[in-house]
């Protein structure tokens, strides 16, 4: 901030109270006016839902363990009844692809729904602004407080705000770490802050970034740092629903007394009160058309509708509409009729297919996995009784949460049998490695490599069986 | 400040991805450091891994920024 850049004087002057720390370019600090209405309700509903899920999940238990835990030390992901192993990376990949397609799909239909309602950046900014308003008052009072010289009241309000934000951030960081490290252990360490060094590091790291992004940087994260914000426009088309100002109806804008019929004063419906600008969390004027800064939160719609109500004009001067609808004067019916168009149908079809595939894969996922490796240090050798012996290392993974015994059989060469360890018990969600011999009568198979297969079957469930192929060497 | 963010932020995103892919495929217990098995404890290994990725990615971003300076910027300095 104190780098010897060519314009330090100018920015120093500005940065008194008007602009806060300029992280990217000199930034006008926004004093966002609070808003109520339909879209604000939706946003708050989503704040509640996402945060109840986020803060609540680590507290649930299932099968006497934390219900949702990405246990890094054990390298297992517990999600309710499922236990995922690194070998299940396919599911993770599928989930990411599904999320990406869902994003394409919803963006094509109604623009930045994700940004406006569900993105953590929006949600935490909303929560931080709520605290700010409760402590410092509305946007006007906040501005006044900023201009005020430091005094007792300002000091008190400021420290309270930073303190509350800090506590909330710490709680968020703690919750985040509880997804990766068992909550009960963290709780035990919490009173004296006796966390392990890395747990402490990550709690503070996550808390710090929550505070920075939601308390300090806010819309700058969307404007400059978010990758999605940069490419979302390519998913738009002329039938995408976006927040739109009805220029034809609103212009020419101008003030007038309440209840005046705009046509009698030669004006449009926009009374130029600038409330839509004051409520915008990114500080833009939607009346200049759709801009990439617009996160589609709908705050300006709510605000403008209230103004229209007061003026006794019809609502919807700012509303969700599409490019085509504005150009061609479509009504609601035609807009909705164009929601289903090739682009959304293709996205929707792929999305549905992926989801079905995911569910089917999950439903058919065998809670058993076996790796077979032939012991390379020993070639096939003859042993007493006219048998040839090969040695294998078996790695049996029991993915279910009950201890299980598995029977081991071998097929592929007539007369082949297991020399030792014909069954193995594997604990709940555990792996077991064992060495086993396969014996084949001398007069069977061909010299060289033969294909054989291990069959591993659960004793309590003969449907749960896995066949793993390997080779059996017979000396020439 | 802008420079710092330009270096640290994209590298953070890429490091997070690299970390996820790397440790999905590789079990930290299979890692060796100077011929010794890595035995820091898993959380430490993951964390050091992440910070390491971040550092490498940041170094790359730093080079980009360094090489991106225009002729006029370079000339002015001398
Ligand atoms: S622009 Fe990015 S950070 Fe901002 S709300 Fe959208 S997704 Fe979230
Ligand atoms: S222009 Fe309206 S919808 Fe867009 S970000 Fe601002 S308030 Fe939200």
């Amino acid at each position: 901030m104190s780098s010897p850049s060519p314009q330090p004087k100018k920015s120093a002057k500005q940065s008194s109270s008007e602009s806060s720390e300029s992280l990217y370019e000199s930034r006008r600090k926004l004093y966002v006016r609070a808003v109520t209405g339909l879209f604000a309700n939706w946003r708050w509903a989503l704040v509640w839902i996402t945060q109840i899920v986020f803060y609540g999940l680590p507290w649930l238990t299932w099968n006497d363990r934390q219900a949702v835990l990405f246990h890094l030390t054990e390298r297992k992901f517990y999600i309710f009844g499922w236990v995922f192993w690194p070998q299940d990376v396919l599911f993770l990949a599928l989930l990411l692809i599904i999320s990406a397609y869902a994003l394409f799909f919803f963006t094509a239909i109604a623009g930045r729904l994700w940004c406006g309602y569900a993105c953590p950046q929006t949600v935490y900014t909303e929560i931080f602004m709520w605290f700010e308003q409760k402590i410092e008052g509305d946007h006007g009072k906040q501005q006044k407080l900023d201009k005020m010289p430091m005094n007792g009241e300002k000091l008190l309000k400021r420290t309270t705000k930073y303190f509350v934000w800090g506590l909330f951030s710490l709680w968020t960081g703690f919750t985040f770490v509880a997804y990766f490290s068992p909550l009960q252990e963290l709780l035990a360490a919490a009173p004296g802050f006796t966390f392990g060094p890395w747990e402490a590091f990550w709690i503070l790291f996550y808390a710090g970034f929550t505070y920075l992004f939601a308390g300090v940087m806010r819309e700058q994260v969307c404007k400059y740092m978010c990758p999605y914000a940069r490419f979302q426009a390519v998913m738009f088309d002329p039938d995408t629903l976006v927040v739109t100002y009805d220029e034809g109806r609103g212009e020419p804008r101008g003030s007038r007394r309440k209840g005046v019929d705009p046509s009698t004063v030669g004006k449009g419906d926009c009374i130029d009160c600038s409330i839509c600008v004051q409520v915008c969390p990114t500080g833009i004027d939607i009346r200049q058309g759709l801009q990439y800064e617009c996160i589609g939160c709908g705050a300006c719609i709510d605000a403008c509708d209230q103004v229209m109500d007061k003026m006794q004009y019809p609502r919807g001067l700012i509303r969700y509409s599409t490019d085509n609808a504005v150009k061609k004067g479509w009504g609601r019916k035609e807009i909705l009729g164009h929601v289903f168009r090739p682009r959304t149908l293709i996205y929707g079809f792929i999305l549905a297919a992926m989801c079905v595939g995911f569910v089917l894969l999950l439903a058919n996922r065998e809670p058993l996995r076996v790796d077979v490796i032939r012991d390379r240090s020993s070639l096939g050798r003859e042993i007493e009784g006219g048998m040839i012996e090969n040695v294998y290392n078996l790695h049996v993974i029991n993915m279910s949460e009950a201890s299980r015994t598995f029977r081991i059989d071998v097929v592929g060469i007539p007369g082949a049998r297991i020399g030792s360890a014909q069954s193995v018990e594997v604990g709940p969600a555990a792996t077991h490695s064992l060495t086993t011999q396969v014996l084949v009568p001398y007069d069977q198979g061909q010299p060289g490599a033969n294909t054989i297969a291990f069959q591993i079957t659960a004793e309590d469930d003969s449907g749960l069986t896995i066949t793993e192929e390997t080779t059996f060497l017979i000396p020439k | 400040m802008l420079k710092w963010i330009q270096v640290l932020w994209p590298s953070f995103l890429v490091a997070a991805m690299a970390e996820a892919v790397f440790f999905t495929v590789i079990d930290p217990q299979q890692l060796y450091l100077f011929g010794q098995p890595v035995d820091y404890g898993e959380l430490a290994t993951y964390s050091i891994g992440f910070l390491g990725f971040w550092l490498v990615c940041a170094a790359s971003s730093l080079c980009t920024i360094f090489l991106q300076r225009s002729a006029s910027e370079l000339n002015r300095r001398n």
Side-chain angles (χ1 to χ4, degrees):
Chain A
M1 283 150 280
S2 57
S3 69
S5 69
Q7 322 94 334
K9 267 180 231 138
K10 196 169 140 221
S11 61
K13 225 184 243 166
Q14 279 183 346
S15 70
S16 54
S17 62
E18 280 291 278
S19 75
S20 75
E21 230 168 66
S22 65
L23 295 169
Y24 279 92
E25 53 195 355
S26 93
R27 169 206 184 207
R28 183 173 50 91
K29 181 169 174 188
L30 300 178
Y31 299 93
V32 180
R33 186 190 177 110
V35 66
T36 52
L38 178 67
F39 295 101
N41 289 346
W42 271 108
R43 202 167 38 259
W44 275 110
L46 271 133
V47 167
W48 278 105
I49 295 170
T50 52
Q51 297 317 291
I52 286 175
V53 171
F54 176 73
Y55 294 105
L57 271 186
W59 295 84
L60 298 184
T61 50
W62 188 277
N63 284 351
D64 290 329
R65 56 157 169 86
Q66 195 168 322
V68 177
L69 179 62
F70 307 120
H71 206 310
L72 290 184
T73 356
E74 291 180 5
R75 286 177 72 73
K76 281 177 216 155
F77 283 9
Y78 297 96
I79 301 173
F80 295 97
W82 289 289
V83 186
F84 292 94
W85 298 65
Q87 288 88 335
D88 288 314
V89 63
L90 174 70
F91 287 97
L92 185 67
L94 262 182
L95 208 60
L96 289 179
I97 298 175
I98 289 176
S99 313
Y101 265 99
L103 201 62
F104 292 175
F105 180 70
F106 288 114
T107 309
I109 289 184
R112 296 170 73 174
L113 285 178
W114 163 259
C115 297
Y117 303 95
C119 177
Q121 179 61 28
T122 304
V123 166
Y124 287 112
T125 302
E126 191 85 6
I127 296 173
F128 273 57
M129 289 206 289
W130 184 84
F131 283 134
E132 193 167 45
Q133 246 149 32
K134 289 290 152 210
I135 295 164
E136 295 189 342
D138 64 17
H139 64 295
K141 292 205 182 110
Q142 288 170 23
Q143 198 161 8
K144 234 192 247 152
L145 195 73
D146 263 1
K147 290 224 174 85
M148 214 187 256
M150 188 50 84
N151 59 21
E153 182 200 349
K154 184 167 177 171
L155 188 71
L156 181 72
K157 283 188 172 165
R158 276 291 139 85
T159 33
T160 320
K161 177 173 89 174
Y162 296 148
F163 181 73
V164 172
W165 281 1
L167 272 188
F168 184 79
S169 302
L170 279 176
W171 184 35
T172 309
F174 178 84
T175 306
F176 174 74
V177 172
Y179 277 90
F180 301 96
S181 211
L183 178 80
Q184 293 308 326
E185 291 170 25
L186 290 179
L187 276 181
F193 210 81
T194 48
F195 300 107
W198 287 105
E199 270 114 3
F201 172 80
W202 288 113
I203 291 175
L204 293 177
F205 187 89
Y206 201 83
F209 270 95
T210 306
Y211 190 103
L212 184 69
F213 281 12
V216 183
M217 296 184 67
R218 299 197 172 166
E219 83 285 352
Q220 300 182 90
V221 173
C222 302
K223 277 163 81 172
Y224 307 107
M225 292 169 71
C226 175
Y228 171 63
R230 296 272 146 161
F231 69 76
Q232 37 88 18
V234 303
M235 296 175 237
F236 280 42
D237 61 33
D239 285 317
T240 299
L241 277 163
V242 288
V243 177
T244 316
Y245 166 68
D246 191 338
E247 210 178 312
R249 190 185 136 190
E251 300 297 317
R253 62 185 82 157
S255 56
R256 80 266 340 236
R257 286 218 322 281
K258 193 169 155 183
V260 172
D261 182 350
S263 58
T264 60
V265 285
K267 285 180 181 151
D269 279 1
C270 173
I271 64 166
D272 208 8
C273 61
S274 84
I275 290 189
C276 56
V277 183
Q278 295 170 33
V279 298
C280 177
T282 65
I284 58 169
D285 185 348
I286 191 67
R287 294 173 300 174
Q288 290 163 8
L290 184 64
Q291 297 142 69
Y292 102 96
E293 292 95 328
C294 172
I295 59 168
C297 66
C300 52
I301 303 184
D302 283 338
C304 187
D305 278 350
Q306 284 176 358
V307 174
M308 292 294 110
D309 286 354
K310 269 193 207 126
M311 297 299 292
Q312 288 156 359
Y313 297 166
R315 290 181 160 205
L317 178 57
I318 303 176
R319 61 174 183 274
Y320 268 105
S321 185
T322 70
D323 203 22
N324 271 340
V326 171
K327 286 205 183 106
K328 301 178 186 165
W330 288 348
R332 175 178 271 248
K333 225 178 171 178
E334 285 134 312
I335 293 177
L336 291 181
H338 281 78
V339 164
F340 299 103
R341 52 189 187 271
R343 188 186 195 119
T344 54
L345 289 178
I346 292 172
Y347 284 159
F349 178 77
I350 298 179
L351 184 61
M354 290 272 192
C355 291
V356 171
F358 186 83
V359 171
L360 284 182
L361 266 181
L362 200 59
N364 290 316
R365 178 170 170 270
E366 298 273 26
L368 167 65
R369 195 149 293 172
V370 178
D371 291 326
V372 176
I373 301 164
R374 217 182 61 80
D375 185 355
R376 289 184 201 286
S377 61
S378 75
L379 291 171
R381 67 184 183 106
E382 288 171 48
I383 56 165
E384 333 164 355
M387 303 293 261
I388 301 193
E389 179 201 75
N390 275 203
V391 180
Y392 298 88
N393 291 319
L394 259 61
H395 201 61
V396 183
I397 306 178
N398 173 16
M399 297 176 153
S400 64
E401 287 194 84
S403 191
R404 268 196 158 127
T405 309
F406 298 97
R407 205 178 58 245
I408 306 175
D409 295 309
V410 63
V411 294
I413 302 178
R417 64 180 173 84
I418 302 281
S420 63
Q422 280 144 357
S423 79
V424 56
E425 187 180 343
V426 189
T431 63
H432 193 93
S433 297
L434 69 154
T435 309
T436 185
Q437 298 87 25
V438 172
L439 307 177
V440 167
Y442 197 52
D443 50 358
Q444 295 291 341
Q446 294 135 12
N450 296 260
T451 304
I452 59 164
F454 280 93
Q455 273 179 347
I456 289 87
T457 313
E459 295 213 315
D460 60 337
D461 175 6
S462 56
L464 179 55
T465 175
I466 276 195
T467 307
E468 270 295 308
E469 285 195 351
T470 181
T471 53
F472 187 92
L473 285 187
I474 295 182
K476 299 193 175 140
Chain B
M1 193 67 196
L2 172 62
K3 288 241 162 80
W4 280 104
I5 299 180
Q6 279 175 340
V7 170
L8 291 179
W9 179 244
S11 50
F12 177 85
L13 293 179
V14 179
M17 282 189 260
E19 164 96 352
V21 172
F22 185 83
F23 283 113
T24 313
V25 183
I26 287 169
D27 185 338
Q29 283 176 342
Q30 293 167 347
L31 293 177
Y32 284 81
L33 189 66
F34 300 121
Q36 297 295 316
V38 170
D39 59 353
Y40 298 138
E42 316 262 336
L43 189 57
T45 316
Y46 290 122
S47 305
I48 293 170
F50 175 75
L51 296 179
F53 279 127
W54 196 4
L55 200 71
V56 172
C57 295
S60 156
S61 296
L62 197 65
C63 289
T64 308
I65 286 207
F66 183 69
L67 295 175
Q68 217 179 22
R69 287 184 302 167
S70 62
S72 63
E73 274 177 285
L74 289 171
N75 287 334
R76 202 174 53 211
R77 300 211 170 219
N78 301 325

